[in-house]
Amino acid sequence: MRLMRVGALGAERPVVLDDGGRAFDLSGMANDIDGAFLAADGIGRARAALAAGELPIADVAGKRIGAPIARPPAVVCVGMNYAAHAAESGAAPPEHPVVFYKHPNTVVGPNDDVVLPRGAAKVDWEVELGIVIGRRARYLSSPDDAFAYIAGYVLSNDVSERALQLEVSGGQWSKGKSCETFNPLGPWLVPADEVGNPQGLGLRSWVNGEVRQDSNTADMLFTVATLVHDLSQYTVLEPGDLVNSGTPQGVALSGRFPYLSVDDVVEIEIDGLGRQRQVVVKG
């Protein structure tokens, strides 16, 4: 089962895909796929309704795919969570998770255009495993508790403007992460129990058809469970929050590849979580 939202920006409707890829309308039981839906066991209710044949067929052919979660209360990001990416960034692997935030309005659909900020010259791609919180998480006792608070996983592109992130005003990460359209998300929210072990997923990116990143979440320095536990010690995670768990090596910041320009095409994918495609356009 996969959850998604389709329709024009701001007018998306919730649907669920069965194992055969058939789409069913969830709007009769949910206004949207958001924190309230997740907190009220929306995934479990959607699964039961799907199994019981209670949902009408949805026609999604040709429809725009929106972000699979609506209006995340917070977008919490983790930097340098792969040793090789830390190295290509010129930094030692961190001893503790490096945390920063993106504005939630950066979240757009998986195939929406990425808008190049005015004057930007160092826009970069980052394929990441997104963790979607399903229950309020506060002071978890151990990483073993974390999975009970995770609703599911999504494919996320943590688009970044490196000059704003690292150079302007001495470097402020959220500055370079919060430009409009800088977090394509989806196409699907896949329930955590259907993903299984999140530490064994291949993740890849391409620019103009050329491979840029090809790694595996097994290479994370801090596992999904460790991240959720750690974050809960100093921030309250709410249902619908998105946690971007870091990107592997192979970004433009490394100096091995050029930064993005107008008309470039970025594609990313994670095993079982789908694929994205964005065209870079002028802001």
Side-chain angles (χ1 to χ4, degrees), residues 110-180:
N111 303 317
D112 290 346
D113 292 339
V114 166
V115 178
L116 202 67
R118 293 179 184 178
K122 294 185 177 181
V123 175
D124 211 344
W125 59 89
E126 292 191 2
V127 58
E128 304 201 10
L129 175 65
I131 307 161
V132 179
I133 302 300
R135 297 170 53 198
R136 187 178 230 222
R138 175 178 178 271
Y139 295 119
L140 301 188
S141 297
S142 77
D144 292 339
D145 297 333
F147 291 112
Y149 294 83
I150 297 172
Y153 301 98
V154 292
L155 172 61
S156 184
N157 188 355
D158 178 16
V159 183
S160 311
E161 209 293 325
R162 302 301 190 187
L164 289 172
Q165 177 188 350
L166 301 171
E167 300 168 15
V168 176
S169 303
Q172 297 182 43
W173 281 36
S174 289
K175 264 189 181 179
K177 301 284 189 168
S178 291
C179 302
E180 61 180 324

Side-chain angles (χ1 to χ4, degrees), residues 58-73:
D59 180 11
V60 299
K63 299 281 198 313
R64 171 186 171 270
I65 301 173
I69 53 172
R71 302 175 299 279

Side-chain angles (χ1 to χ4, degrees), residues 4 6-7 13 15 17 21-23 57-65:
M4 63 188 299
V6 297
R13 74 177 193 274
V15 300
L17 302 179
R22 295 179 299 171
I57 291 285
D59 180 11
V60 299
K63 299 281 198 313
R64 171 186 171 270
I65 301 173

Side-chain angles (χ1 to χ4, degrees), residues 1-6 13-24 26 33-34 37-38 43 60 63-70 107-111 128-133 150-157 183-192 194-195 201-202 204 242-244 268-278:
M1 184 182 82
R2 294 162 288 169
L3 299 166
M4 63 188 299
R5 300 168 64 247
V6 297
R13 74 177 193 274
V15 300
V16 59
L17 302 179
D18 68 9
D19 291 341
R22 295 179 299 171
F24 296 86
L26 281 176
I33 300 170
D34 54 14
F37 171 84
L38 297 172
I43 290 177
V60 299
K63 299 281 198 313
R64 171 186 171 270
I65 301 173
I69 53 172
V107 173
V108 294
N111 303 317
E128 304 201 10
L129 175 65
I131 307 161
V132 179
I133 302 300
I150 297 172
Y153 301 98
V154 292
L155 172 61
S156 184
N157 188 355
N183 203 148
L185 198 69
W188 316 306
L189 168 61
V190 181
E194 299 196 18
V195 172
L201 304 175
R204 294 162 287 276
L242 170 66
V243 179
N244 286 330
I268 67 171
E269 70 177 13
I270 295 180
D271 294 346
L273 299 182
R275 189 178 178 107
Q276 299 183 1
R277 181 184 187 274
Q278 297 101 37

